[in-house]
Amino acid sequence: MHKPAPEEEVTSLHDLSATDLIAGYRAKQFSPSEVLEEVIEHVAAWEPHIRALYLFDPDGARAVAKASSDRWQKGEPVSTLDGVPVTIKDNIATKGQPIPLGAASVKLVPAEKDAPPAARLREAGAIIFSKTTMPDYGMLSSGLSSFHPLTRNPWDLAKNPGGSSSGAGAAGAAGYGPLHLGTDIGGSVRLPACWCGLVALKPSLGRVPIDPPYVGRVAGPITRTVDDAALMMCVLAKPDRRDGMSLPADSSIHWKTLDKSPRKLRIGLMLDPGAGQSLEQEVRDVAVNAAKAFESAGAIVSEVNGILTREMLDGLDNFWRARLWDDLSKLSPEDRGKTLPYIHKWAEAGAKLSGVDVVRGFNATMAIRAAAAKLFHELDYVISPVSPVVNFPAEFAAPINDPDRPFEHICYTVPWNMAENPALSINGGYDAKGFPIGVQIIGRRFDDLGVLGMAKAFEGLRDAQRPWPTPPGK
């Protein structure tokens, strides 16, 4: 709740967690309408600097907030998320709104209905006040897009927020309310969380129904606290028959029960993923310190080798190039030319690949899954960096910024999409200049609750957090 800061100031409503908002609504200390107005005011101060939002709809949100306020006044909320502000990523369909996928080459056609995650949030009474930005087709870990303006990182406006859930990460760090929904096929909720100081869960494949489903593609929460991520999962994990890859509803998962002791758990520390960019020293130090924190709590920690190979990474690259070129080749030359040049150059190489090349690339997903299963045969959890680098320039498409080497930075994250394991990014520390550095916690397939429990334990083990960034000029 309104916890006094060291300066005896009261926490602003827009900075409160979702769990604190719900407690405040229940105690009638404030209403969803009051919270939304503070969020809107805060957005006005930040948005000219970070450009995180798409289809910002304050008036529509006010109507939803008013209805929620009335329900709370009567003591009749529809769920534990009723009246909580939330943003939704561009590529998650919301009824009546276009889905540009971050790309100027995509025709703007209003969606006929909400995608499953958006539908669950709306049914729960959450206040969807805006969509958030993303790069072209979600194929960059960057705030760079041919459709949206450049999205910047609130911690340092010269730096990138990451992607592809770039707007969600920037919005979360800036304090645009507590809950943000992203998607992840290679690190796209975890990397922005890493570079923006947030928590992001990439659930096991199928845990959160999504439409359209695809190999490795999931939707997941991006929040400031582990409790809020778990609260979001209470809603997001509900079934939806539109996703033929979704898991059966599991009533045994109690998302709010996060008490978990690391004592005697077997944890692997993975500092070398097996391929990709070299690990920067400050990132390494944060990951090692996280492992030591778990060890001090009674866990049995041992260093383990990565499971990714150069052949696997290049195979995924080939598969994804061919997949996107298939989409781009169906466009007119004029529309195809609107694609971000970096993405166009990367994808067009897919036209030169043979069918065997592409099949070999897809088969890398099976090889990664087998390697992950073998790794977890003797381990309960794995700790690793999220990104090999502390940060990179806002204007770059990727840390290396070379379309011939596009995925060198996702080697800690992408294996768990292909292997379908739950993986979570949580802030683990900061570099010498105060920029956040994430730590990744990976669990066995379907152990989403355990991963959240380990992250909750880590919140109590890590060093004190720094204040969130404030809008320029304040």
Side-chain angles (χ1 to χ4, degrees):
M1 290 304 301
H2 288 263
K3 299 174 184 176
E7 298 83 4
E8 299 301 320
E9 294 181 354
V10 174
T11 304
S12 300
L13 293 179
H14 66 78
D15 271 333
L16 288 179
S17 68
T19 54
D20 280 348
L21 288 180
I22 293 299
Y25 296 159
R26 185 173 291 115
K28 294 183 169 56
Q29 293 182 340
F30 43 78
S31 70
S33 291
E34 291 173 301
V35 171
L36 178 65
E37 290 305 322
E38 277 212 16
V39 170
I40 291 171
E41 181 181 354
H42 196 63
V43 166
W46 261 117
E47 190 60 9
H49 305 285
I50 62 173
R51 307 301 293 273
L53 300 185
Y54 168 60
L55 297 180
F56 179 44
D57 182 17
D59 289 337
R62 286 184 174 110
V64 177
K66 174 62 167 61
S68 177
S69 297
D70 291 344
R71 289 192 295 271
W72 278 106
Q73 187 63 35
K74 297 174 184 176
E76 300 174 351
V78 296
S79 85
T80 54
L81 288 186
D82 200 342
V84 179
V86 63
T87 69
I88 294 181
K89 187 177 177 181
D90 160 345
N91 66 340
I92 299 173
T94 45
K95 184 177 179 179
Q97 297 178 320
I99 313 166
L101 304 178
S105 52
V106 172
K107 298 292 185 184
L108 298 181
V109 179
E112 294 184 2
K113 59 180 67 176
D114 287 338
R120 299 297 85 77
L121 290 168
R122 203 184 300 278
E123 292 162 2
I127 304 170
I128 302 171
F129 68 91
S130 187
K131 305 293 286 288
T132 51
T133 62
M134 62 181 285
D136 290 46
Y137 300 97
M139 293 310 301
L140 298 177
S141 187
S142 172
L144 190 63
S145 163
S146 64
F147 179 82
H148 300 295
L150 179 65
T151 303
R152 296 178 179 272
N153 194 314
W155 288 92
D156 182 342
L157 297 180
K159 302 303 180 183
N160 212 294
S164 62
S165 304
S166 48
Y176 290 13
L179 305 182
H180 307 275
L181 179 65
T183 61
D184 190 316
I185 200 171
S188 291
V189 297
R190 288 161 291 159
L191 287 163
C194 167
W195 290 314
C196 293
L198 301 165
V199 173
L201 173 66
K202 181 211 78 67
S204 300
L205 185 73
R207 180 69 70 202
V208 175
I210 193 168
D211 184 31
Y214 198 75
V215 177
R217 182 173 185 255
V218 302
I222 301 177
T223 62
R224 287 185 171 187
T225 70
V226 176
D227 283 335
D228 277 4
L231 191 66
M232 233 174 147
M233 287 298 292
C234 293
V235 170
L236 295 175
K238 292 181 178 179
D240 193 300
R241 292 182 179 178
R242 286 176 285 175
D243 184 353
M245 299 170 71
S246 63
L247 299 173
D250 189 344
S251 60
S252 68
I253 299 177
H254 301 288
W255 293 106
K256 298 179 189 177
T257 307
L258 298 181
D259 294 334
K260 189 177 185 71
S261 171
R263 184 171 174 77
K264 295 186 178 180
L265 292 178
R266 300 164 300 174
I267 297 177
L269 173 61
M270 183 182 291
L271 296 174
D272 181 356
Q277 281 180 266
S278 298
L279 181 63
E280 293 182 356
Q281 186 63 45
E282 287 180 298
V283 180
R284 187 185 193 281
D285 291 345
V286 167
V288 169
N289 288 339
K292 288 180 178 178
F294 280 115
E295 195 169 40
S296 71
I300 303 165
V301 179
S302 59
E303 193 163 340
V304 297
N305 294 325
I307 62 172
L308 199 67
T309 66
R310 170 52 58 181
E311 183 180 13
M312 291 173 180
L313 185 64
D314 290 345
L316 290 176
D317 186 1
N318 285 341
F319 172 59
W320 282 337
R321 285 180 197 250
R323 174 180 174 242
L324 186 55
W325 185 250
D326 177 51
D327 291 335
L328 294 181
S329 67
K330 297 171 185 175
L331 301 177
S332 68
E334 180 183 1
D335 286 340
R336 190 161 58 245
K338 297 175 184 176
T339 308
L340 194 72
Y342 179 104
I343 288 291
H344 188 280
K345 182 178 180 182
W346 168 74
E348 68 180 351
K352 302 175 183 177
L353 296 169
S354 70
V356 172
D357 291 331
V358 178
V359 169
R360 284 175 178 163
F362 179 80
N363 284 343
T365 66
M366 297 296 103
I368 292 170
R369 179 181 293 193
K374 182 178 180 180
L375 175 70
F376 275 94
H377 183 69
E378 300 293 339
L379 296 172
D380 298 302
Y381 297 95
V382 169
I383 304 296
S384 82
V386 183
S387 156
V389 301
V390 174
N391 54 42
F392 64 104
E395 296 79 10
F396 278 20
I400 291 180
N401 206 34
D402 180 356
D404 291 329
R405 301 174 64 204
F407 299 132
E408 303 300 302
H409 62 290
I410 67 171
C411 294
Y412 290 103
T413 53
V414 73
W416 316 117
N417 295 80
M418 302 303 108
E420 304 182 6
N421 296 60
L424 179 145
S425 174
I426 185 170
N427 177 248
Y430 302 84
D431 75 349
K433 297 180 180 179
F435 196 88
I437 297 172
V439 169
Q440 186 172 215
I441 302 171
I442 308 108
R444 292 174 175 170
R445 287 179 73 206
F446 314 134
D447 187 21
D448 304 69
L449 185 62
V451 167
L452 284 165
M454 290 291 284
K456 180 67 175 176
F458 182 65
E459 280 185 329
L461 294 170
R462 67 186 175 186
D463 294 334
Q465 295 299 97
R466 301 191 181 193
W468 292 97
T470 55
K474 287 199 173 184

